[in-house]
Amino acid sequence: MKRVIIYLILVCMLSVSVCASYDDTSEHWAKKEIENWSEIGVIKGSDNLFRPDDSITRGEIAAVINRILKYETISLINYTDVDSSMWFYDDVSKVASVMSGDGITFRPYDNMTREEAAALICKMLKIEKQQIFINYDPSKISEWARGYVSALEGANCLPKSFDDSEFKKNITRAEFVYILDKIIETEFLKKGHYSINTNKHVIIADEETIISDMKINGNLIISESIANSDITIKDVDVNGKIYICGAIRGNVKLDNVVANSIIYEAIPQNEDDIIIFKPELPDENIDGDTENQPEINDKPEINDEPEINDEPQIDENKYYNSIIDSDIDLTGIENLDNTKNGYGPGVNVDEKNRPTGAINLQEKYGKYDAYFIADLSDKIYLTFDEGYENGYTPMILDKLKEKDCKAVFFVTMDYVKRNPELVQRMIDEGHVIGNHSVKHLSMPTLSVEECIKEVKELHMYVRENFGYEMYLFRPPMGEFSEKTLAIAQKMGYKTFLWSFAYRDWETDNQPLKFTAYRKITNAAHGGAIFLLHAVSKTNAEIIDEVIDSFRNQGYTVKAFEIGDK
């Protein structure tokens, strides 16, 4: 009897009242997360208390999961310890696909351990197991649970209280809610129209929740609770998988949606019920093997006699920009539009996974020798921006050399002056040096004369100190106008933007390696121009694996050279 009374008290905590704030959480480390999930009605307290540090039971967890995913399918359960009179009966019968008992008992009053909770959350969100541990001792985790704990650690969603690596301890209410908050985007559990990029997994469980024009760096799960509805998800880039749960009876349209794969549990009644657009890879399988290619030595020959002039010499057989040496012909420049455009290729892609935003701008501004995306081919052009040195360029160069892969490095005047040995190494190892301006200013905000100065001064400095002629210009911040594109063209330059970039430049907030790898490799497309920042530790660590993936997908990875289009 005591056990039943205690459990009824616990039930009240999760089912009686919705409260955004509780008397016992105001100073708690998980206060924010508890409030988030209370506000949307997934967790509930009693008498203005939540008891965050108490253990949570299996019955309570079944209720929480069902409130999130809103399952409809009821499984026939024959547990000896669960009957239809119990408050959690419906929840237990609906979560059977992710949470079950031993066939005889469900143990609804038992607590759940941390490792059991990790496995359950991964199954619920279709998260694949990993095998890399950074902060935890795997010997303290049951062998069957290590892959699940590793996956959640990799997603950076485990609380500090787990630092003791005691994963066989019972998980508390606060710990369970904290993990849910860090790995599930709560905004999309509310009704509304959303276009918010997120690094979390997304669950759509209400027909009045609409998402469009956004990126999801995780899985997208469409609950069976909206299976009868007509749903359209448009212009969404899912850097994971899409799961359509339950027996699909409605009309689920994925319009201009990109994902690793789309999985659903039941064959739709009509083949047109689910519309899937997948990227198409080039037909040819080019492995990038250059082992049998003739060796080309394009360095200037060294004269045994002493040089009278010790300045770097220009190789007459190489490209030389004579236009920049004389007065620039600016005929018609003043009549061009100088409206500043802040560039980004957007999330929409065509059937070949090529960003439509980049394609449209290429069609509009290509006449100025501007490249937002290159011609459709089996080539991927790899570029790095070098605003300052953060210690990772040598590692990047080492890995490029190991993979026999060339790239473009866009440098500023400050970078060149501070890191002459790295610039020389780039040149010596066959990479392309690009002009990223003297002061890294927004070009459309400058006068014509200032624009010319930003490009020309760096060009002449590199020529005079390294004997190298630059021919590619990347405008700082990607900001350009029709006029600035034309000015660069008048100076003998091609403006080289990009068809892929991601948030990799925040050195104190680096993306996880497997997340970055997946985001980059999933974006592969013919004629791609990839912009990566060399200040990124993550980029330096994964660039060799990225190159391998591109080549395995059938692409040739290279620098953009004279003659490429």
Side-chain angles (χ1 to χ4, degrees), residues 354 356-367 370 372-373:
R354 286 162 54 91
T356 54
I359 293 171
N360 292 338
L361 288 173
Q362 187 62 41
E363 292 175 352
K364 183 175 182 180
Y365 295 115
K367 61 186 177 181
F372 300 83
I373 190 170

Side-chain angles (χ1 to χ4, degrees), residues 444-455:
T445 66
L446 306 178
S447 67
V448 173
E449 292 73 20
E450 288 170 330
C451 285
I452 293 173
K453 184 178 180 180
E454 280 291 302
V455 177

Side-chain angles (χ1 to χ4, degrees), residues 185 187-188 190-198 202 204 209-216 232-237 347-348:
E185 185 58 72
E187 281 297 316
F188 303 104
K190 308 170 188 176
K191 298 177 181 179
H193 190 164
Y194 301 99
S195 297
I196 307 170
N197 293 343
T198 179
V202 171
I204 305 298
T209 300
I210 302 170
I211 62 174
S212 65
D213 193 24
M214 60 178 288
K215 291 184 178 181
I216 299 172
T232 299
I233 296 175
K234 185 176 181 181
D235 299 336
V236 176
D237 182 354
V347 300
N348 299 336

Side-chain angles (χ1 to χ4, degrees), residues 391-405 409 422 425 429 431 540 543-544 547:
Y392 299 114
T393 300
M395 184 191 301
I396 292 171
L397 289 170
D398 288 344
K399 292 189 174 184
L400 291 174
K401 185 175 183 179
E402 176 188 342
K403 294 297 176 183
D404 192 20
C405 180
F409 289 86
L422 286 177
R425 182 182 171 187
E429 294 181 359
H431 300 290
I543 188 60
D544 50 345
I547 292 169

Side-chain angles (χ1 to χ4, degrees), residues 379-399:
K379 296 178 180 61
I380 286 178
Y381 299 102
L382 192 58
T383 75
F384 293 90
D385 277 8
E386 295 275 19
Y388 64 95
E389 181 54 45
N390 196 35
Y392 299 114
T393 300
M395 184 191 301
I396 292 171
L397 289 170
D398 288 344
K399 292 189 174 184

Side-chain angles (χ1 to χ4, degrees), residues 136-338:
Y136 304 119
D137 181 358
S139 67
K140 293 186 176 183
I141 308 169
S142 298
E143 187 173 354
W144 63 266
R146 289 173 188 169
Y148 300 115
V149 174
S150 173
L152 296 188
E153 182 190 18
N156 198 30
C157 67
L158 297 180
K160 289 287 186 183
S161 56
F162 277 34
D163 287 353
D164 58 10
S165 288
E166 297 297 336
F167 284 89
K168 296 178 183 179
K169 289 173 59 174
N170 291 336
I171 192 168
T172 67
R173 286 179 171 74
E175 290 171 339
F176 190 75
V177 172
Y178 178 93
I179 296 172
L180 292 180
D181 190 76
K182 297 305 176 188
I183 206 161
I184 300 174
E185 185 58 72
T186 55
E187 281 297 316
F188 303 104
L189 295 174
K190 308 170 188 176
K191 298 177 181 179
H193 190 164
Y194 301 99
S195 297
I196 307 170
N197 293 343
T198 179
N199 289 321
K200 301 180 183 180
H201 299 275
V202 171
I203 297 171
I204 305 298
D206 193 300
E207 62 182 57
E208 294 185 37
T209 300
I210 302 170
I211 62 174
S212 65
D213 193 24
M214 60 178 288
K215 291 184 178 181
I216 299 172
N217 194 23
N219 292 332
L220 169 61
I221 300 174
I222 301 174
S223 169
E224 65 175 299
S225 64
I226 54 177
N228 284 317
S229 307
D230 290 338
I231 308 158
T232 299
I233 296 175
K234 185 176 181 181
D235 299 336
V236 176
D237 182 354
V238 181
N239 193 14
K241 299 178 181 179
I242 298 176
Y243 290 86
I244 303 176
C245 302
I248 305 302
R249 298 176 295 277
N251 189 21
V252 180
K253 288 194 175 78
L254 305 180
D255 185 359
N256 204 14
V257 171
V258 177
N260 290 358
S261 61
I262 302 175
I263 301 169
Y264 47 94
E265 296 179 359
I267 302 299
Q269 293 179 354
N270 188 322
E271 288 293 333
D272 294 330
D273 282 353
I274 297 180
I275 302 174
I276 303 171
F277 298 94
K278 294 184 178 179
E280 181 179 321
L281 296 177
D283 294 333
E284 295 182 2
N285 181 20
I286 298 178
D287 60 10
D289 181 14
T290 59
E291 185 177 12
N292 298 318
Q293 295 294 321
E295 188 173 319
I296 298 175
N297 182 4
D298 58 359
K299 297 180 184 179
E301 293 185 3
I302 299 176
N303 193 327
D304 292 335
E305 297 181 5
E307 293 282 353
I308 297 174
N309 182 356
D310 60 0
E311 293 183 359
Q313 301 299 299
I314 301 296
D315 185 345
E316 294 181 358
N317 295 319
K318 286 186 176 182
Y319 167 78
Y320 184 83
N321 184 357
S322 59
I323 300 175
I324 206 167
D325 292 332
S326 55
D327 292 337
I328 310 299
D329 178 11
L330 298 175
T331 304
I333 286 292
E334 289 301 332
N335 298 325
L336 297 178
D337 185 9
N338 197 40

Side-chain angles (χ1 to χ4, degrees), residues 410-556:
F410 285 96
V411 298
T412 61
M413 179 71 86
D414 182 71
Y415 185 89
V416 171
K417 288 184 175 181
R418 290 176 184 269
N419 304 280
E421 71 289 343
L422 286 177
V423 175
Q424 188 62 59
R425 182 182 171 187
M426 295 170 189
I427 296 169
D428 291 344
E429 294 181 359
H431 300 290
V432 173
I433 307 301
N435 192 323
H436 202 31
S437 80
V438 173
K439 297 179 181 178
H440 203 266
L441 303 174
S442 175
M443 299 296 282
T445 66
L446 306 178
S447 67
V448 173
E449 292 73 20
E450 288 170 330
C451 285
I452 293 173
K453 184 178 180 180
E454 280 291 302
V455 177
K456 185 171 183 176
E457 282 193 5
L458 180 55
H459 184 99
M460 301 307 291
Y461 184 90
V462 170
R463 174 195 284 177
E464 292 166 3
N465 288 274
F466 299 93
Y468 186 89
E469 289 287 300
M470 295 185 291
Y471 53 87
L472 296 177
F473 174 68
R474 175 164 285 164
M477 292 87 71
E479 295 178 349
F480 69 93
S481 67
E482 183 182 27
K483 179 182 286 187
T484 62
L485 296 179
I487 292 171
Q489 183 186 43
K490 292 279 190 179
M491 299 178 72
Y493 269 87
K494 300 178 188 295
T495 300
F496 209 62
L497 288 128
W498 61 86
S499 60
F500 172 87
Y502 77 118
R503 189 176 292 273
D504 60 350
W505 61 86
E506 296 176 341
T507 56
D508 58 350
N509 185 30
Q510 280 291 284
L512 298 169
K513 287 194 291 185
F514 75 91
T515 303
Y517 170 83
R518 191 170 58 181
K519 177 180 285 292
I520 295 169
T521 57
N522 286 348
H525 53 276
I529 302 171
F530 273 76
L531 161 59
L532 303 175
H533 286 86
V535 297
S536 167
K537 180 176 184 287
T538 298
N539 287 343
E541 291 174 337
I542 67 173
I543 188 60
D544 50 345
E545 297 174 4
V546 167
I547 292 169
D548 286 343
S549 175
F550 286 160
R551 288 173 173 171
N552 289 337
Q553 293 182 60
Y555 295 103
T556 298

